[in-house]
Amino acid sequence: MNNDFYKTIFKRKSFHLFRGVGSDRISETELADIGEAFTAFESLYPDIRTAIRIVPTEKVNFKRDAEYCILIYSEKKENYLMNAGYLGEQLDLWLVNRNIGTLWYGIGRPDKEIYEGLEFVIMIAVHKAKNETLYRRDLFKAKRKPLDEIWAGDTMGVGEIARFAPSACNSQPWYVNNSGGTLTVHRYKKQSRVGIMSPAKASYFNRIDIGIFLCILEICMAENGVLFERQLFADSGDEEYTKVAEYKK
């Protein structure tokens, strides 16, 4: 995992509106670099084929002044949504490192549902945003669940930052238990409707969210020198707490 990503967690924010980001544009060279970078990111499941397309916002009816939307596609296999979230969050942080503002856009409708035999998963809207004042200045002012709601046991200095992982509708569908030398990560299913989303939509995006969280969690663990062996589990259930990963120290 890229060692520069940890410091980027503190800077990154969701650009729900891109107005006021300035007149700088993402160059053709930068667009090519985005595509090349994505192919080099670490995957939870190397056997799941993935790809991205970068399209002008008008192609996907994005109305919030972004320049482009990056569409993430995947082969549909077990845990493909988790894998897409894990890869997409690396892309998210990579972009912010290059002064490109981002927004995970869950309700976006692609111009192509299928690309190179892969299914559309989700998109990230982007715009050049060089002014540092546009990014987050104080991570701890972000609205997140209290640590004791999402973590049990010793946090190892990891949970305090990992809890700021982005998620759809800020639902934060994760729960971590640190016990017996093992971190166990669960996808938490809220037992009521999540905002305006149907239960089916919430489950879909929450599986992507879990991949985003695992990415942030592993970045924080690496920063704190926590060595681990990771085991992933099929997220196929619909229980209140579904085990998705274990990290054995």
Side-chain angles (χ1 to χ4, degrees):
M1 193 70 71
N2 189 322
N3 290 336
D4 291 335
F5 285 164
Y6 182 76
K7 64 183 180 183
T8 312
I9 295 171
F10 293 82
K11 172 182 176 180
R12 184 220 171 261
K13 78 166 190 178
S14 296
F15 280 78
H16 294 286
L17 294 173
F18 286 93
R19 301 187 189 105
V21 294
S23 58
D24 287 338
R25 310 292 290 181
I26 301 171
S27 69
E28 291 297 323
T29 299
E30 288 173 315
L31 291 175
D33 288 345
I34 292 169
E36 183 176 347
F38 184 81
T39 64
F41 293 146
E42 295 180 29
S43 175
L44 289 174
Y45 294 92
D47 64 321
I48 298 180
R49 291 192 303 118
T50 57
I52 60 171
R53 292 175 60 236
I54 306 174
V55 302
T57 53
E58 56 266 24
K59 279 199 170 187
V60 292
N61 293 321
F62 189 88
K63 305 294 187 183
R64 305 184 191 181
D65 299 328
E67 290 183 71
Y68 297 96
C69 285
I70 303 173
L71 281 61
I72 300 175
Y73 292 82
S74 176
E75 188 177 10
K76 193 172 182 180
K77 287 185 173 180
E78 185 176 86
N79 283 357
Y80 78 103
L81 296 176
M82 184 194 303
N83 189 62
Y86 187 86
L87 286 166
E89 184 55 22
Q90 291 173 72
L91 176 61
D92 183 12
L93 297 171
W94 186 93
L95 290 164
V96 174
N97 270 345
R98 286 152 183 80
N99 293 314
I100 297 174
T102 64
L103 173 68
W104 283 93
Y105 192 52
I107 62 174
R109 301 182 68 178
D111 59 327
K112 291 183 179 181
E113 290 283 354
I114 304 295
Y115 173 66
E116 296 184 348
L118 308 177
E119 292 194 11
F120 171 72
V121 176
I122 196 169
M123 67 179 69
I124 299 175
V126 296
H127 195 298
K128 194 75 174 180
K130 291 181 68 174
N131 189 336
E132 288 293 320
T133 64
L134 296 170
Y135 295 96
R136 194 180 301 282
R137 300 186 190 183
D138 187 350
L139 179 69
F140 296 96
K141 289 184 178 180
K143 293 181 179 179
R144 293 296 189 274
K145 292 178 181 177
L147 187 57
D148 60 6
E149 284 189 20
I150 62 104
W151 196 291
D154 183 10
T155 65
M156 307 177 298
V158 169
E160 290 83 351
I161 305 304
R163 73 188 183 95
F164 289 99
S167 65
C169 297
N170 203 21
S171 56
Q172 306 164 61
W174 41 73
Y175 185 80
V176 181
N177 182 34
N178 183 4
S179 178
T182 299
L183 285 181
T184 304
V185 182
H186 295 84
R187 178 175 60 84
Y188 167 65
K189 178 190 175 186
K190 194 171 184 178
Q191 297 301 296
S192 60
R193 192 180 183 91
V194 180
I196 62 173
M197 284 196 292
S198 67
K201 279 286 187 184
S203 290
Y204 178 90
F205 289 117
N206 286 172
R207 285 176 165 87
I208 298 172
D209 293 343
I210 281 294
I212 295 172
F213 178 73
L214 293 184
C215 176
I216 297 293
L217 177 67
E218 291 179 13
I219 291 169
C220 292
M221 291 171 75
E223 177 68 17
N224 284 272
V226 179
L227 302 177
F228 59 83
E229 292 183 4
R230 180 184 65 207
Q231 182 178 2
L232 301 171
F233 300 89
D235 184 1
S236 56
D238 206 26
E239 298 83 10
E240 184 175 8
Y241 291 93
T242 301
K243 183 167 71 172
V244 295
E246 285 185 347
Y247 294 88
K248 295 185 178 181
K249 301 184 291 252

